[in-house]
Amino acid sequence: MLVKWIRCTVVDRRGFERGQRKWAGLLGEPGFRGQGGGWSRARPDVAHIFAFWESRAFYDSFMARSHDRLAASQVGTFKDLQVKLFDHRFDVKTGFEPKFTDADVARVAHCRVHEDRAEHFALMQEKVWNPAMAGSPGMLRGLFGEAPGSEFLVLSMWRSAAEHGKYRVERVERLGLRARTDADVAALTGDVVQLDTAWTV
């Protein structure tokens, strides 16, 4: 599965939200698995969108054919667009499904990892972080994705912001020490996204 993560700064909120509803047109696209997103809880003008495709080939075909028509209604409503593509490597918890309707927030972590530490980082994700996250109350599902150049994405869905906050306070520092994350990671950016059900396709 291919995971697309879009982040942008919105300059016309009403126009952007109106355009966001037009993405319902994705539903008939071959290989399309789902899309959702919402607003950054830390920076209210930043939007995050996550889209899921069965394969790169289906995604490339969509980009060549239908993308520009669907995107036209949002032109001029945002700036600083960043798009990243990741290959799904494994699930956090089990049976990841690209659905958003039962989650309140999504946590996204984007990690640039030292090249010689990439395998260790992935192993620690599997052996240390995944079990801790999977066992946390309110954590619904998640995935671990990889892009060329030792870049990784950890996306997790949570029933509520409060439950995610509790996990962070209680576990993150201890787990980071155990996984020796500081030795692996060159740069880490993350955000907590308040999901908007109207954006779900």
Side-chain angles (χ1 to χ4, degrees):
M1 185 167 61
L2 185 77
V3 184
K4 181 179 188 176
W5 171 36
I6 305 157
R7 180 178 51 192
C8 61
T9 303
V10 174
V11 292
D12 169 8
R13 193 171 174 125
R14 281 183 63 186
F16 184 85
E17 289 191 314
R18 213 170 28 245
Q20 200 54 40
R21 291 179 173 82
K22 301 267 197 253
W23 291 98
L26 282 165
L27 282 173
E29 289 292 331
F32 173 70
R33 297 279 308 277
Q35 180 169 290
W39 299 101
S40 163
R41 287 176 65 95
R43 294 182 49 206
D45 59 338
V46 170
H48 293 267
I49 294 141
F50 306 97
F52 302 86
W53 293 83
E54 265 169 47
S55 70
R56 181 69 191 247
F58 279 123
Y59 169 74
D60 286 344
S61 166
F62 159 73
M63 289 302 288
R65 287 177 301 101
S66 315
H67 174 270
D68 292 359
R69 178 174 49 82
L70 290 174
S73 58
Q74 281 177 312
V75 169
T77 64
F78 60 86
K79 60 179 186 176
D80 304 333
L81 179 72
Q82 290 173 296
V83 177
K84 294 226 169 261
L85 299 174
F86 296 87
D87 285 313
H88 172 276
R89 187 153 161 183
F90 50 76
D91 291 346
V92 178
K93 225 164 177 172
T94 53
F96 180 83
E97 284 289 319
K99 60 178 197 169
F100 294 82
T101 45
D102 55 350
D104 180 38
V105 297
R107 160 74 180 158
V108 58
H110 175 224
C111 310
R112 279 196 177 81
V113 173
H114 298 296
E115 209 174 309
D116 59 330
R117 304 286 297 178
E119 279 314 307
H120 179 263
F121 178 77
L123 186 69
M124 290 300 101
Q125 188 64 43
E126 218 169 345
K127 300 277 187 271
V128 176
W129 291 101
N130 275 14
M133 229 190 285
S136 294
M139 192 278 188
L140 300 169
R141 69 188 77 81
L143 65 81
F144 181 74
E146 183 174 7
S150 304
E151 278 190 58
F152 298 92
L153 178 82
V154 184
L155 176 65
S156 55
M157 314 273 201
W158 297 78
R159 198 176 295 117
S160 74
E163 284 168 316
H164 173 257
K166 208 166 159 222
Y167 160 77
R168 262 179 64 186
V169 168
E170 290 174 0
R171 319 284 295 273
V172 168
E173 199 176 331
R174 196 176 75 238
L175 292 166
L177 290 170
R178 220 176 105 200
R180 297 182 51 224
T181 305
D182 286 353
D184 294 347
V185 175
L188 169 67
T189 54
D191 212 345
V192 177
V193 183
Q194 187 70 49
L195 295 171
D196 186 330
T197 49
W199 297 13
T200 301
V201 183

